[in-house]
Amino acid sequence: MSKLWHNNTLRALAFFSIMAFMLVLVGVNQSWSVAIAILNLCIISAIMSLGLNLQWGYAGLFNVGIMGFTALGGIAAVLVSYPPVKDAWQVGGLGILGSLVVLLATIAVCVTLYRKLQSSSYRWLVLSLIILVGYFLLRLVYEPAVKAIEATDPSRSGFLGGLGLPSLLSWLVGGLFAAGAAWFIGKIALGLKSDYLAIATLGIAEIVVSVLRNEDWLSRGVKNVTGVPRPVPYEVELQQSPRFIEWVSNWNSAKLAALDEVARNDALQKLVSDASSIAVKLSYTGLFTAVLLLILLLSVLALHSPWGRMVRAIRDNEVAASAMGKDVKGRHLQIFVLGSAVFGMAGAMLVTLDGQFTPGAYSPLRYTFLVWVMVMVGGSGNNLGAVLGGFVVWFLWVEAEPAGFWLMNTITSGLDDGNALRTHLINNAQYMRVIVMGLVLLLVMRFSPWGLLPEQNGQRR
Amino acid sequence: MTDFLNALVLLTNFVLLPAITYGSQLALGALGVTLLYAVLRFSNFAQGETMAMGTALAILCTTLLQSIGVSLGVLPTALLGMLPAIVIMWGVVLLTDRWVYRYYRTKRSKSIVFVMASVGVMFVMNGLVRFLLGAGDRNFEDGERFIISAADFKLMTGLEEGLALKTTQVITIVLAAILVIALFWFLQKTKTGKSMRAYSDNENLALLSGIDPHRVVRITWMISATLAVIAGVLYGLDKGYKPLSYFNLLLPIFAAVIVGGVGKPAGAILGGFVIAFTEGLLTYAYKAFLNYLVPPAWLPEGLIQFLSTEYKVAITFVILVIVLLVRPTGILRGKVI
Amino acid sequence: MKKLLLATLLASIFATSAQAADDTINIGIEFGFTGPIESLAPMMAASAELALKEVSDSKALLGGKTLKGIRADDTCVDAANATTAAERLVTSDKIVALIGASCSGAATAVANNVLIPKGIPMISSSATAPALTTLDDKGFVFRTAPSDARQGELLAEIVKNRGVDEVVITYTNNDYGKGLNESFGAAFKKLGGKIVASTAHTDGQPDYSADVAALKASGAKTLIVFGYADQGGKGIVQASLDSGAFDKFIFADGMIGEGLTKNFGTKINGAFGTMPGGETEGSKKWEAIAKENKIDPTGGPYRGESYDAAAILALAIQAAGKADPAAIQAKIKDVANAPGEKIYAGELAKALKLLSEGKDVDYVGATGVEFDDAGDVKGAYREVEVKEGKFETIKAY
């Protein structure tokens, strides 16, 4: 038995069955709608956790800036799929484009001069001067444009909007946005010793989010962008579509036939409403699953390719790999960019699913540390483990709250209703969520240090 | 001359004094982190929550003291209430070490494992703190609020600008200075302090020379917890207690540690002040200040501010990133993590 | 430990299904119990539950049914969490209506993704973003907290009438603060006032002296604070007083409460502002019953609003004659709006009886609720001023 238990395939099968069973349990006992809603977010979590597994599990890169890449993906979803706000473009579009030109020109001049003046002692002086001039020039063009844009119907838009393209495309663009940022960050930060990368990414993520929170012309800032278009139909549309209603009534014909006319109409309405929300969620599930499977497939293929072996060799012994002529820095940059692109896609998918972009929502606890918990719990270095971790941890994250209430209610059921301790415990039950998360992380690290599904080959750390 | 004095008072009141106070609070927190790093070799993500928990306990003790009529007169009672809180927090961190970190220490796990464990501890403490005292805002300051209020200062000097000196500011600065001196004396002069430094420099050599590693680790935890509680209480006295803001404090504290040089106590202090001052100076609107120094007609419209205050959080990280790029070991050449 | 956790989880999943007793009607209470407004949410929930309890205790609802409030956490900002929690409330706890969600972002997400598609009415007691007015909500989204747009305009008038022409504004960096800042700014400029500068502050910051320093530099003598009394707004006032930067303040609803005067007392004498709740009679009655039940009625925002949201839902259930979401939604405006006998906080038993007799009621409650076509309250406001360290009502609008 214990030998079987150590067989990874069986173990994976067992854990995934338990996970599926838990979701079914939620479906039966709470409702299918909740179960599928949780499943959808589980899939997105699994995608994020795959991205981190690529970076941490394959290459040992300590990225604590996941939040920033997710947010970049999120804004991509808005910029691609949201319809353009014509009035805002009219008053400020030119100014924004102009300031972009100024910004790029300043950077270009700086880079050129930096190279040209390699040996000159005036190098820093000249550069600072140019940056200063560029800064004031930028503000000159930028500020009036922003003011004009933000004054255009501020309660509803007050930003430039997006391009109005299909939202599925935005997932790809989200990945590209994050990849671009990651390339830039990696270029600077990957030369540092590995743990500094952590702190640098932590900081950069904060900077990205604070820009999104404050640059209203781009993202509406904290006023949130709502009504981001969906790739799937709206529930209300379905509820009014005769074809859908017919389909639902056929599906439930036996149940409906037993009722009289009035009751039948009521019941049908209820069934249609339930079915529409499940149908919409299932379409999301389909799309998300496709993305998850694709990324999983690519990750597994990559892991078992010569490239994957090289990457793991670098991770396990950087010095030796480097001595054998492997380009350590280049591989690290590749992986950093790839992993971050995955975060970006997940971020865009999340915004599409929610139908809104909320810059205020990006907090390191939820978008960075929680993903780390997923990978640590699932098993770093093992793709299936990462997916499992995403599922398990997200499930616990949302179900810990009702579980907390229930636990507190049960523990204190001996006390009477007005009891101060009982009230205190029940009123604070929602904090169980973080406590559970912490305990799960600590327990898994202690008693199953390689995660639920350990890495199969390669050196265990 | 009066104009110059006015400008100076203005800057002191709005930038320098708050920055010194905030810098002291950051420095104490950063000292705790850096000491732990020096001895145990990991960045403790739970330090912010340790501060919050210590402060929450101190508030409970203070309320208890106040209810039996104890007070420190002009000084806040919390200075007394924080003593039992420190003792309780010793117990908390030592138990955490016993249950969580010791296992990895004996296994000689990589530092990243410790960091992840501390993230777990952070999650748990985060919830426990809110369980203990709720998530709400608490004001537990009593005693005299000002040493000199802005209005008094204007009366005294006849200047147009006021300079306010808060009791909590003075307590913070004085207490921080005392603690820092005591800590340095402890590290340099006492046998335990020396053994801690030896252990930090070269663990194997220290073990060979008969230093009890368990004792060193215990003492480090206790010192770091003491610093955390005091920093937390001072911060809470100055700005009010709110669990969420302690979590937010963690990031500038880390930045301070790295900017100053990881594992260097003096670096932590320096880093704290660098962060506090840069934040203050970069987001200060110089309009009123310059008004005193140059003819108003010369000044442009607007507040004359480098960056709007919304980007205050980002500034911390920009400094951090620049330091990492230009001088990765920090200003005082700390350890390479 | 692992087993205990697992067992708890399993048990809770099973347990939730067991509670569909016939004589209780479930109502969701979804507020941001964790996250940015975690300090406001508990008392808001307690206020809402107070109304539910009052109704249950009266034994007059649909022949003696009880209302049960089911709490859920919308985290204020995380749309994913908020929708999952709402989904659970709707489909698992079978709520017939929702009180919440708390922040405008979460409220929009919950409305768009769960409640509107499912056809379940919601009354938010704290989402104030003007954007919610124009949400295509099919008539299912209401709120007892007035949109910021109205308050900004009114406050601009009051400020101008008091002879203040030049102000500097600091607003909390979220949709509430920003929305209020925009509506006030537009109205104040139209009236000929000058806003020297307006800057945002972030809640939960370690330190506000830099913010205050920037505000002070503007040269204006009067500071308008659009923030929260127990968050950044308090920090701003504190730092202003400590450094002597400002002593004249103007506040909006989020800042007004005993929390502020308890902290600053007479130091902010002369500060004035607006808060929702025009009917002073209604708010007095609310204050009385709230205090009886250990809720500090003016200790924080949105408490009266939460009570009202719960009360209206209860009355709508009674008017509908059955606990059915669509039927309730149809009755919400009837019970909240004139004509009918005016109902104040603490008089829910009377209202239920009147409704069961087929009479019409006009729920006024703590905040003077009156819904318009968009499901917004028209926003009755009071002008208040700090006198001798206490907020006093000057005039109702």
Side-chain angles (χ1 to χ4, degrees), chain B residues 18 20 32 56 65 67 97 100 104 114 129 142 150-151 156 170 186 195 213 301-302 319:
Chain B
I20 296 177
L65 283 174
S67 68
D97 184 66
V100 180
Y104 301 107
F114 286 91
V129 167
D142 53 2
M156 267 160 50
V170 177
F186 172 80
S195 63
E301 276 275 311
I319 307 169

Side-chain angles (χ1 to χ4, degrees), chain A residues 30 33-34 37-42 44-45 48 281 349-351 353-356 358 360-368 370-371 374 390-402 405 430-434 437, chain B residues 123, chain C residues 29-36 38 71-91 93 98 101-103 105-111 113-115:
Chain A
Q30 293 190 340
S33 204
V34 177
I38 295 178
L39 175 67
N40 281 343
L41 284 161
C42 278
I44 295 186
S45 303
M48 291 174 84
K281 289 198 180 72
M349 290 159 75
L350 207 55
V351 167
L353 176 69
D354 293 341
Q356 67 177 36
T358 357
Y362 293 101
S363 79
L365 208 64
R366 155 79 176 83
Y367 285 93
T368 297
L370 197 64
V371 182
M374 289 169 189
F391 272 71
V392 171
V393 169
W394 180 263
F395 185 82
L396 289 176
W397 182 248
V398 286
E399 287 293 332
E401 196 204 336
F405 277 116
Q430 58 272 12
Y431 305 123
M432 276 301 286
R433 174 191 286 161
V434 269
M437 225 59 295
Chain B
F123 271 104
Chain C
I29 301 179
E30 190 176 16
F31 292 148
F33 291 103
T34 61
E38 58 185 13
R71 287 191 188 194
D73 182 11
D74 66 23
T75 72
C76 180
V77 284
D78 192 356
N81 258 329
T83 22
T84 314
E87 192 78 52
R88 195 182 67 235
L89 287 175
V90 169
T91 54
D93 295 316
L98 178 76
S102 55
C103 301
T108 328
V110 163
N113 296 336
V114 185
L115 293 180

Side-chain angles (χ1 to χ4, degrees), chain C residues 50 258 283-299:
Chain C
L50 180 60
E258 249 169 51
S283 60
K284 264 183 210 138
K285 286 195 171 149
W286 154 242
E287 278 165 28
I289 67 153
K291 276 182 189 147
E292 246 169 60
N293 290 283
K294 291 184 198 146
I295 295 171
D296 176 3
T298 47

Side-chain angles (χ1 to χ4, degrees), chain C residues 22-29 48-59 61-62 64-70 96-97 99 309-318 323 328 348 352:
Chain C
D22 267 350
D23 54 344
T24 52
I25 299 168
N26 287 348
I27 290 193
I29 301 179
E49 279 157 0
L50 180 60
L52 299 182
K53 187 167 173 288
E54 192 182 325
V55 170
S56 305
D57 289 352
S58 75
K59 308 252 181 253
L61 179 74
L62 302 181
K65 292 198 173 169
T66 41
L67 289 177
K68 189 170 175 217
I70 314 252
V96 294
I99 304 166
I312 290 169
L313 287 176
L315 298 188
I317 293 174
Q318 181 81 334
I328 296 170
L348 300 181
L352 292 171

Side-chain angles (χ1 to χ4, degrees), chain A residues 58-322:
Chain A
Y58 286 19
L61 297 177
F62 194 8
N63 178 3
V64 205
I66 303 168
M67 170 181 80
F69 298 111
T70 322
L72 277 174
I75 188 69
V78 173
L79 293 182
V80 169
S81 61
Y82 203 83
V85 180
K86 295 217 171 66
D87 295 342
W89 271 104
Q90 236 154 34
V91 293
L94 214 61
I96 292 294
L97 292 178
S99 26
L100 198 65
V101 171
V102 174
L103 182 70
L104 291 178
T106 315
I107 293 175
V109 172
C110 278
V111 171
T112 334
L113 283 179
Y114 181 83
R115 293 205 179 120
K116 278 253 168 76
L117 298 174
Q118 206 82 49
S119 52
S120 166
S121 49
Y122 295 116
R123 182 161 133 188
W124 290 111
L125 187 72
V126 173
L127 280 181
S128 352
L129 217 69
I130 286 171
I131 290 174
L132 216 62
V133 170
Y135 173 76
F136 281 111
L137 214 62
L138 188 68
R139 282 186 76 159
L140 212 63
V141 196
Y142 174 77
E143 273 177 5
V146 167
K147 229 180 198 163
I149 293 172
E150 288 177 5
T152 330
D153 193 7
S155 72
R156 247 164 291 170
S157 62
F159 77 131
L160 286 177
L163 300 173
L165 297 171
S167 47
L168 282 182
L169 184 70
S170 75
W171 298 359
L172 218 67
V173 177
L176 287 178
F177 269 33
W183 182 82
F184 187 71
I185 296 165
K187 264 293 194 203
I188 316 175
L190 281 176
L192 301 167
K193 206 141 156 126
S194 77
D195 281 26
Y196 279 122
L197 181 69
I199 288 122
T201 46
L202 188 71
I204 290 164
E206 281 300 329
I207 295 172
V208 167
V209 171
S210 75
V211 168
L212 290 180
R213 228 174 264 176
N214 290 309
E215 297 305 316
D216 286 18
W217 60 271
L218 179 71
S219 61
R220 278 198 97 212
V222 289
K223 290 184 293 178
N224 311 333
V225 182
T226 55
V228 178
R230 290 174 169 185
V232 300
Y234 287 87
E235 288 91 344
V236 182
E237 283 167 21
L238 282 181
Q239 285 163 20
Q240 282 155 2
S241 132
R243 262 183 66 194
F244 186 75
I245 296 175
E246 197 191 314
W247 183 75
V248 172
S249 69
N250 284 343
W251 189 259
N252 293 291
S253 53
K255 215 197 269 172
L256 287 172
L259 300 167
D260 67 73
E261 185 111 15
V262 183
R264 191 186 303 156
N265 268 337
D266 268 4
L268 182 62
Q269 210 176 3
K270 189 134 192 53
L271 284 171
V272 168
S273 150
D274 286 349
S276 70
S277 93
I278 289 183
V280 167
K281 289 198 180 72
L282 277 179
S283 353
Y284 272 122
T285 312
L287 291 171
F288 291 167
T289 311
V291 177
L292 174 67
L293 288 179
L294 186 73
I295 294 177
L296 183 62
L297 183 73
L298 289 177
S299 305
V300 172
L301 286 180
L303 185 66
H304 295 289
S305 70
W307 180 85
R309 279 194 289 277
M310 170 165 65
V311 165
R312 272 174 294 142
I314 293 175
R315 176 196 70 193
D316 293 338
N317 195 337
E318 216 168 280
V319 182
S322 175

Side-chain angles (χ1 to χ4, degrees), chain B residues 242-291:
Chain B
K242 194 157 173 298
L244 193 68
S245 56
Y246 286 90
F247 176 72
N248 291 338
L249 207 55
L250 181 70
L251 302 173
I253 284 182
F254 268 5
V257 169
I258 291 169
V259 167
V262 176
K264 292 258 176 180
I269 298 162
L270 185 69
F273 285 109
V274 167
I275 301 260
F277 272 89
T278 336
E279 264 189 19
L281 289 171
L282 278 185
T283 53
Y284 181 61
Y286 288 91
K287 174 124 182 192
F289 175 72
L290 291 174
N291 254 337

